[in-house]
CSV table of all heavy atoms in Angstrom, one decimal:
chain,number,residue,atom,x,y,z
H,127,THR,N,41.9,-50.7,-173.4
H,127,THR,CA,41.3,-49.6,-174.0
H,127,THR,C,40.3,-49.0,-173.0
H,127,THR,O,39.9,-49.6,-172.0
H,127,THR,CB,40.5,-50.0,-175.2
H,127,THR,OG1,39.5,-51.0,-174.8
H,127,THR,CG2,41.4,-50.6,-176.3
H,128,GLY,N,40.0,-47.7,-173.2
H,128,GLY,CA,39.1,-47.0,-172.3
H,128,GLY,C,37.6,-47.3,-172.7
H,128,GLY,O,37.3,-48.3,-173.2
H,129,ARG,N,36.8,-46.3,-172.3
H,129,ARG,CA,35.3,-46.4,-172.6
H,129,ARG,C,35.1,-46.1,-174.1
H,129,ARG,O,34.7,-45.0,-174.4
H,129,ARG,CB,34.5,-45.5,-171.7
H,129,ARG,CG,33.0,-45.7,-171.8
H,129,ARG,CD,32.2,-44.8,-171.0
H,129,ARG,NE,32.2,-45.2,-169.6
H,129,ARG,CZ,32.5,-44.5,-168.6
H,129,ARG,NH1,33.0,-43.3,-168.7
H,129,ARG,NH2,32.4,-45.0,-167.3
H,130,ASP,N,35.4,-47.0,-174.9
H,130,ASP,CA,35.4,-46.7,-176.4
H,130,ASP,C,34.2,-47.4,-177.1
H,130,ASP,O,34.0,-47.2,-178.3
H,130,ASP,CB,36.7,-47.1,-177.0
H,130,ASP,CG,37.0,-48.6,-176.8
H,130,ASP,OD1,36.2,-49.3,-176.2
H,130,ASP,OD2,38.2,-49.0,-177.1
H,131,GLN,N,33.5,-48.3,-176.4
H,131,GLN,CA,32.4,-49.0,-177.1
H,131,GLN,C,32.8,-49.8,-178.3
H,131,GLN,O,32.0,-50.2,-179.1
H,131,GLN,CB,31.3,-48.0,-177.5
H,131,GLN,CG,30.7,-47.2,-176.4
H,131,GLN,CD,30.1,-48.0,-175.3
H,131,GLN,OE1,29.3,-48.9,-175.6
H,131,GLN,NE2,30.5,-47.8,-174.1
H,132,MET,N,34.1,-50.1,-178.3
H,132,MET,CA,34.7,-51.0,-179.4
H,132,MET,C,35.3,-52.2,-178.8
H,132,MET,O,36.3,-52.7,-179.4
H,132,MET,CB,35.6,-50.2,-180.2
H,132,MET,CG,35.0,-49.0,-181.0
H,132,MET,SD,33.9,-49.6,-182.3
H,132,MET,CE,35.1,-50.2,-183.4
H,133,GLN,N,34.9,-52.6,-177.6
H,133,GLN,CA,35.6,-53.7,-176.9
H,133,GLN,C,35.5,-55.0,-177.6
H,133,GLN,O,36.4,-55.8,-177.6
H,133,GLN,CB,35.1,-53.8,-175.5
H,133,GLN,CG,35.4,-52.5,-174.7
H,133,GLN,CD,34.6,-52.5,-173.4
H,133,GLN,OE1,34.1,-53.5,-172.9
H,133,GLN,NE2,34.4,-51.3,-172.8
H,134,ALA,N,34.4,-55.2,-178.4
H,134,ALA,CA,34.3,-56.5,-179.1
H,134,ALA,C,35.4,-56.5,-180.2
H,134,ALA,O,36.0,-57.5,-180.5
H,134,ALA,CB,32.9,-56.6,-179.7
H,135,LEU,N,35.6,-55.4,-180.9
H,135,LEU,CA,36.6,-55.3,-182.0
H,135,LEU,C,38.0,-55.4,-181.4
H,135,LEU,O,38.8,-56.1,-182.0
H,135,LEU,CB,36.4,-54.0,-182.7
H,135,LEU,CG,37.3,-53.8,-183.9
H,135,LEU,CD1,37.2,-54.9,-184.9
H,135,LEU,CD2,37.1,-52.4,-184.6
H,136,THR,N,38.3,-54.6,-180.3
H,136,THR,CA,39.6,-54.7,-179.8
H,136,THR,C,40.0,-56.0,-179.2
H,136,THR,O,41.1,-56.5,-179.3
H,136,THR,CB,39.8,-53.6,-178.7
H,136,THR,OG1,38.8,-53.7,-177.7
H,136,THR,CG2,39.8,-52.2,-179.4
H,137,GLY,N,38.9,-56.7,-178.6
H,137,GLY,CA,39.1,-58.0,-178.1
H,137,GLY,C,39.4,-59.0,-179.2
H,137,GLY,O,40.3,-59.9,-179.1
H,138,LEU,N,38.7,-58.9,-180.3
H,138,LEU,CA,39.0,-59.7,-181.5
H,138,LEU,C,40.4,-59.5,-182.0
H,138,LEU,O,41.1,-60.5,-182.3
H,138,LEU,CB,37.9,-59.4,-182.6
H,138,LEU,CG,38.1,-60.2,-183.9
H,138,LEU,CD1,38.0,-61.7,-183.7
H,138,LEU,CD2,37.1,-59.7,-184.9
H,139,PHE,N,40.8,-58.3,-182.1
H,139,PHE,CA,42.2,-58.0,-182.5
H,139,PHE,C,43.2,-58.7,-181.6
H,139,PHE,O,44.2,-59.3,-182.1
H,139,PHE,CB,42.4,-56.5,-182.5
H,139,PHE,CG,43.9,-56.1,-182.6
H,139,PHE,CD1,44.5,-56.2,-183.9
H,139,PHE,CD2,44.6,-55.6,-181.5
H,139,PHE,CE1,45.9,-55.9,-184.0
H,139,PHE,CE2,45.9,-55.3,-181.6
H,139,PHE,CZ,46.6,-55.4,-182.9
H,140,ALA,N,43.0,-58.6,-180.3
H,140,ALA,CA,43.9,-59.2,-179.3
H,140,ALA,C,44.0,-60.7,-179.5
H,140,ALA,O,45.1,-61.3,-179.5
H,140,ALA,CB,43.6,-58.8,-177.9
H,141,ARG,N,42.9,-61.3,-179.7
H,141,ARG,CA,42.8,-62.8,-179.8
H,141,ARG,C,43.5,-63.2,-181.1
H,141,ARG,O,44.2,-64.2,-181.2
H,141,ARG,CB,41.4,-63.3,-179.8
H,141,ARG,CG,40.8,-63.1,-178.4
H,141,ARG,CD,39.5,-63.9,-178.3
H,141,ARG,NE,38.5,-63.5,-179.2
H,141,ARG,CZ,37.6,-62.5,-179.0
H,141,ARG,NH1,37.6,-61.8,-177.9
H,141,ARG,NH2,36.7,-62.2,-179.9
H,142,GLN,N,43.3,-62.4,-182.2
H,142,GLN,CA,43.9,-62.7,-183.5
H,142,GLN,C,45.4,-62.5,-183.4
H,142,GLN,O,46.2,-63.2,-184.0
H,142,GLN,CB,43.3,-61.8,-184.6
H,142,GLN,CG,41.9,-62.1,-184.9
H,142,GLN,CD,41.7,-63.5,-185.5
H,142,GLN,OE1,42.5,-64.0,-186.3
H,142,GLN,NE2,40.6,-64.2,-185.2
H,143,PHE,N,45.8,-61.5,-182.6
H,143,PHE,CA,47.3,-61.3,-182.4
H,143,PHE,C,47.9,-62.4,-181.6
H,143,PHE,O,49.1,-62.8,-181.9
H,143,PHE,CB,47.4,-60.0,-181.6
H,143,PHE,CG,48.9,-59.5,-181.5
H,143,PHE,CD1,49.4,-58.7,-182.5
H,143,PHE,CD2,49.6,-59.9,-180.4
H,143,PHE,CE1,50.8,-58.3,-182.4
H,143,PHE,CE2,51.0,-59.5,-180.3
H,143,PHE,CZ,51.5,-58.7,-181.3
H,144,GLY,N,47.1,-63.1,-180.7
H,144,GLY,CA,47.7,-64.2,-180.0
H,144,GLY,C,47.9,-64.0,-178.5
H,144,GLY,O,48.6,-64.8,-177.9
H,145,THR,N,47.2,-63.0,-178.0
H,145,THR,CA,47.4,-62.7,-176.5
H,145,THR,C,46.0,-62.8,-175.8
H,145,THR,O,45.0,-62.3,-176.4
H,145,THR,CB,48.0,-61.3,-176.3
H,145,THR,OG1,48.1,-61.1,-174.9
H,145,THR,CG2,47.2,-60.2,-176.9
H,146,PRO,N,46.0,-63.3,-174.6
H,146,PRO,CA,44.8,-63.3,-173.8
H,146,PRO,C,44.8,-62.1,-172.9
H,146,PRO,O,43.8,-61.9,-172.2
H,146,PRO,CB,44.9,-64.6,-173.0
H,146,PRO,CG,46.4,-64.7,-172.8
H,146,PRO,CD,47.1,-64.2,-174.0
H,147,ASN,N,45.8,-61.3,-173.0
H,147,ASN,CA,46.0,-60.2,-172.0
H,147,ASN,C,45.4,-58.9,-172.6
H,147,ASN,O,46.1,-58.0,-173.1
H,147,ASN,CB,47.4,-60.0,-171.7
H,147,ASN,CG,48.1,-61.2,-171.1
H,147,ASN,OD1,47.5,-61.8,-170.2
H,147,ASN,ND2,49.2,-61.7,-171.6
H,148,TYR,N,44.1,-58.8,-172.6
H,148,TYR,CA,43.4,-57.6,-173.0
H,148,TYR,C,42.2,-57.3,-172.1
H,148,TYR,O,41.6,-58.2,-171.5
H,148,TYR,CB,42.9,-57.7,-174.5
H,148,TYR,CG,41.9,-58.8,-174.7
H,148,TYR,CD1,40.5,-58.6,-174.6
H,148,TYR,CD2,42.3,-60.1,-175.0
H,148,TYR,CE1,39.6,-59.6,-174.8
H,148,TYR,CE2,41.4,-61.1,-175.2
H,148,TYR,CZ,40.1,-60.9,-175.1
H,148,TYR,OH,39.2,-61.9,-175.3
H,149,ALA,N,42.0,-56.0,-171.9
H,149,ALA,CA,40.9,-55.6,-171.0
H,149,ALA,C,40.4,-54.2,-171.5
H,149,ALA,O,41.1,-53.6,-172.3
H,149,ALA,CB,41.4,-55.6,-169.6
H,150,ALA,N,39.4,-53.8,-170.9
H,150,ALA,CA,38.8,-52.4,-171.2
H,150,ALA,C,38.2,-51.8,-169.9
H,150,ALA,O,38.2,-52.5,-168.9
H,150,ALA,CB,37.8,-52.5,-172.3
H,151,HIS,N,37.8,-50.6,-170.1
H,151,HIS,CA,37.3,-49.9,-168.9
H,151,HIS,C,36.2,-50.7,-168.2
H,151,HIS,O,36.1,-50.7,-167.0
H,151,HIS,CB,36.7,-48.5,-169.4
H,151,HIS,CG,35.9,-47.8,-168.4
H,151,HIS,ND1,36.3,-47.0,-167.4
H,151,HIS,CD2,34.5,-47.8,-168.3
H,151,HIS,CE1,35.3,-46.5,-166.7
H,151,HIS,NE2,34.2,-47.0,-167.2
H,152,GLY,N,35.2,-51.2,-169.0
H,152,GLY,CA,34.1,-51.9,-168.4
H,152,GLY,C,34.4,-53.0,-167.5
H,152,GLY,O,33.7,-53.3,-166.5
H,153,GLY,N,35.5,-53.8,-167.8
H,153,GLY,CA,35.9,-54.9,-167.0
H,153,GLY,C,36.3,-54.5,-165.6
H,153,GLY,O,36.2,-55.4,-164.7
H,154,PHE,N,36.6,-53.3,-165.4
H,154,PHE,CA,37.0,-52.8,-164.0
H,154,PHE,C,35.9,-51.9,-163.4
H,154,PHE,O,36.0,-51.5,-162.3
H,154,PHE,CB,38.3,-52.0,-164.1
H,154,PHE,CG,39.5,-52.7,-164.6
H,154,PHE,CD1,39.8,-52.8,-165.9
H,154,PHE,CD2,40.3,-53.4,-163.7
H,154,PHE,CE1,40.9,-53.5,-166.4
H,154,PHE,CE2,41.4,-54.1,-164.1
H,154,PHE,CZ,41.7,-54.2,-165.5
H,155,CYS,N,34.8,-51.7,-164.2
H,155,CYS,CA,33.9,-50.7,-163.7
H,155,CYS,C,32.5,-51.3,-163.5
H,155,CYS,O,31.9,-51.2,-162.4
H,155,CYS,CB,33.8,-49.6,-164.8
H,155,CYS,SG,32.5,-48.4,-164.4
H,156,SER,N,31.9,-52.0,-164.5
H,156,SER,CA,30.5,-52.3,-164.4
H,156,SER,C,30.0,-53.6,-165.1
H,156,SER,O,28.9,-53.9,-165.0
H,156,SER,CB,29.7,-51.1,-165.1
H,156,SER,OG,30.1,-50.9,-166.4
H,157,VAL,N,31.0,-54.3,-165.8
H,157,VAL,CA,30.5,-55.5,-166.5
H,157,VAL,C,30.0,-56.5,-165.5
H,157,VAL,O,29.0,-57.2,-165.8
H,157,VAL,CB,31.7,-56.0,-167.3
H,157,VAL,CG1,31.4,-57.5,-167.8
H,157,VAL,CG2,32.0,-55.1,-168.5
H,158,ASN,N,30.7,-56.7,-164.3
H,158,ASN,CA,30.2,-57.6,-163.4
H,158,ASN,C,28.8,-57.3,-162.9
H,158,ASN,O,27.9,-58.2,-162.8
H,158,ASN,CB,31.2,-57.7,-162.2
H,158,ASN,CG,31.4,-56.3,-161.6
H,158,ASN,OD1,31.1,-55.3,-162.2
H,158,ASN,ND2,32.0,-56.3,-160.4
H,159,MET,N,28.5,-56.0,-162.7
H,159,MET,CA,27.2,-55.6,-162.3
H,159,MET,C,26.2,-55.9,-163.4
H,159,MET,O,25.1,-56.5,-163.1
H,159,MET,CB,27.2,-54.1,-161.9
H,159,MET,CG,25.8,-53.6,-161.6
H,159,MET,SD,25.8,-51.8,-161.6
H,159,MET,CE,26.0,-51.4,-163.4
H,160,ALA,N,26.5,-55.6,-164.6
H,160,ALA,CA,25.6,-55.8,-165.7
H,160,ALA,C,25.3,-57.3,-165.9
H,160,ALA,O,24.2,-57.7,-166.1
H,160,ALA,CB,26.2,-55.2,-167.0
H,161,ALA,N,26.4,-58.1,-165.8
H,161,ALA,CA,26.2,-59.5,-166.0
H,161,ALA,C,25.3,-60.1,-164.9
H,161,ALA,O,24.4,-60.9,-165.2
H,161,ALA,CB,27.5,-60.2,-166.0
H,162,GLY,N,25.5,-59.7,-163.7
H,162,GLY,CA,24.6,-60.1,-162.6
H,162,GLY,C,23.2,-59.8,-162.8
H,162,GLY,O,22.3,-60.6,-162.6
H,163,MET,N,22.9,-58.5,-163.2
H,163,MET,CA,21.5,-58.1,-163.4
H,163,MET,C,20.9,-58.7,-164.6
H,163,MET,O,19.7,-59.0,-164.7
H,163,MET,CB,21.5,-56.6,-163.5
H,163,MET,CG,21.9,-55.9,-162.2
H,163,MET,SD,21.4,-54.2,-162.0
H,163,MET,CE,19.7,-54.4,-161.7
H,164,ILE,N,21.7,-59.0,-165.7
H,164,ILE,CA,21.1,-59.7,-166.8
H,164,ILE,C,20.6,-61.1,-166.4
H,164,ILE,O,19.6,-61.6,-166.9
H,164,ILE,CB,22.2,-59.8,-168.0
H,164,ILE,CG1,22.3,-58.4,-168.6
H,164,ILE,CG2,21.8,-60.8,-169.0
H,164,ILE,CD1,23.5,-58.3,-169.6
H,165,TYR,N,21.4,-61.8,-165.6
H,165,TYR,CA,21.1,-63.1,-165.2
H,165,TYR,C,19.9,-63.1,-164.2
H,165,TYR,O,19.2,-64.2,-164.0
H,165,TYR,CB,22.3,-63.8,-164.5
H,165,TYR,CG,23.2,-64.5,-165.6
H,165,TYR,CD1,24.4,-63.9,-165.9
H,165,TYR,CD2,22.8,-65.6,-166.2
H,165,TYR,CE1,25.3,-64.5,-166.8
H,165,TYR,CE2,23.7,-66.2,-167.2
H,165,TYR,CZ,24.9,-65.6,-167.4
H,165,TYR,OH,25.7,-66.2,-168.4
H,166,THR,N,19.7,-62.0,-163.4
H,166,THR,CA,18.7,-62.0,-162.4
H,166,THR,C,17.4,-61.4,-162.9
H,166,THR,O,16.3,-61.9,-162.7
H,166,THR,CB,19.2,-61.3,-161.1
H,166,THR,OG1,19.7,-60.0,-161.5
H,166,THR,CG2,20.2,-62.1,-160.5
H,167,ILE,N,17.4,-60.2,-163.5
H,167,ILE,CA,16.2,-59.5,-163.9
H,167,ILE,C,16.1,-59.3,-165.4
H,167,ILE,O,15.1,-58.7,-165.8
H,167,ILE,CB,16.1,-58.1,-163.2
H,167,ILE,CG1,17.2,-57.1,-163.6
H,167,ILE,CG2,16.1,-58.3,-161.7
H,167,ILE,CD1,17.0,-55.7,-163.1
H,168,GLY,N,17.1,-59.8,-166.1
H,168,GLY,CA,17.0,-59.7,-167.6
H,168,GLY,C,17.6,-58.6,-168.3
H,168,GLY,O,17.5,-58.4,-169.5
H,169,GLY,N,18.2,-57.6,-167.5
H,169,GLY,CA,18.8,-56.5,-168.2
H,169,GLY,C,19.7,-55.8,-167.2
H,169,GLY,O,19.6,-55.9,-166.0
H,170,SER,N,20.7,-55.0,-167.8
H,170,SER,CA,21.7,-54.4,-167.0
H,170,SER,C,21.1,-53.0,-166.4
H,170,SER,O,20.1,-52.6,-166.9
H,170,SER,CB,22.9,-54.1,-167.8
H,170,SER,OG,22.6,-53.3,-169.0
H,171,PHE,N,21.8,-52.5,-165.5
H,171,PHE,CA,21.4,-51.3,-164.7
H,171,PHE,C,20.9,-50.2,-165.5
H,171,PHE,O,19.7,-49.7,-165.4
H,171,PHE,CB,22.6,-50.9,-163.8
H,171,PHE,CG,22.2,-50.3,-162.5
H,171,PHE,CD1,21.5,-51.1,-161.6
H,171,PHE,CD2,22.4,-49.0,-162.2
H,171,PHE,CE1,21.2,-50.6,-160.3
H,171,PHE,CE2,22.1,-48.5,-160.9
H,171,PHE,CZ,21.4,-49.3,-160.0
H,172,TRP,N,21.7,-49.6,-166.4
H,172,TRP,CA,21.4,-48.4,-167.0
H,172,TRP,C,20.4,-48.6,-168.1
H,172,TRP,O,19.6,-47.6,-168.5
H,172,TRP,CB,22.6,-47.7,-167.6
H,172,TRP,CG,23.5,-48.6,-168.4
H,172,TRP,CD1,23.5,-48.9,-169.7
H,172,TRP,CD2,24.6,-49.4,-167.8
H,172,TRP,NE1,24.5,-49.8,-170.0
H,172,TRP,CE2,25.2,-50.1,-168.9
H,172,TRP,CE3,25.2,-49.5,-166.6
H,172,TRP,CZ2,26.3,-50.9,-168.8
H,172,TRP,CZ3,26.2,-50.4,-166.4
H,172,TRP,CH2,26.8,-51.1,-167.5
H,173,GLU,N,20.3,-49.8,-168.7
H,173,GLU,CA,19.3,-50.0,-169.8
H,173,GLU,C,17.8,-49.8,-169.2
H,173,GLU,O,16.9,-49.5,-169.9
H,173,GLU,CB,19.4,-51.4,-170.3
H,173,GLU,CG,20.7,-51.5,-171.2
H,173,GLU,CD,20.9,-53.0,-171.6
H,173,GLU,OE1,20.4,-53.9,-171.0
H,173,GLU,OE2,21.6,-53.2,-172.6
H,174,PHE,N,17.7,-50.2,-167.9
H,174,PHE,CA,16.3,-50.1,-167.4
H,174,PHE,C,16.1,-48.9,-166.4
H,174,PHE,O,15.1,-48.8,-165.8
H,174,PHE,CB,16.0,-51.4,-166.6
H,174,PHE,CG,15.8,-52.6,-167.5
H,174,PHE,CD1,16.9,-53.2,-168.1
H,174,PHE,CD2,14.5,-53.0,-167.8
H,174,PHE,CE1,16.7,-54.3,-169.0
H,174,PHE,CE2,14.3,-54.1,-168.7
H,174,PHE,CZ,15.4,-54.7,-169.2
Side-chain angles (χ1 to χ4, degrees):
T127 58
R129 184 183 281 125
D130 55 6
Q131 302 301 308
M132 295 292 289
Q133 295 167 22
L135 181 60
T136 53
L138 176 62
F139 166 74
R141 292 193 298 273
Q142 293 294 322
F143 187 88
T145 179
N147 301 311
Y148 60 92
H151 165 86
F154 297 90
C155 176
S156 54
V157 167
N158 53 345
M159 174 193 70
M163 296 199 73
I164 287 171
Y165 276 107
T166 52
I167 66 171
S170 58
F171 211 64
W172 48 89
E173 289 174 337
F174 287 80

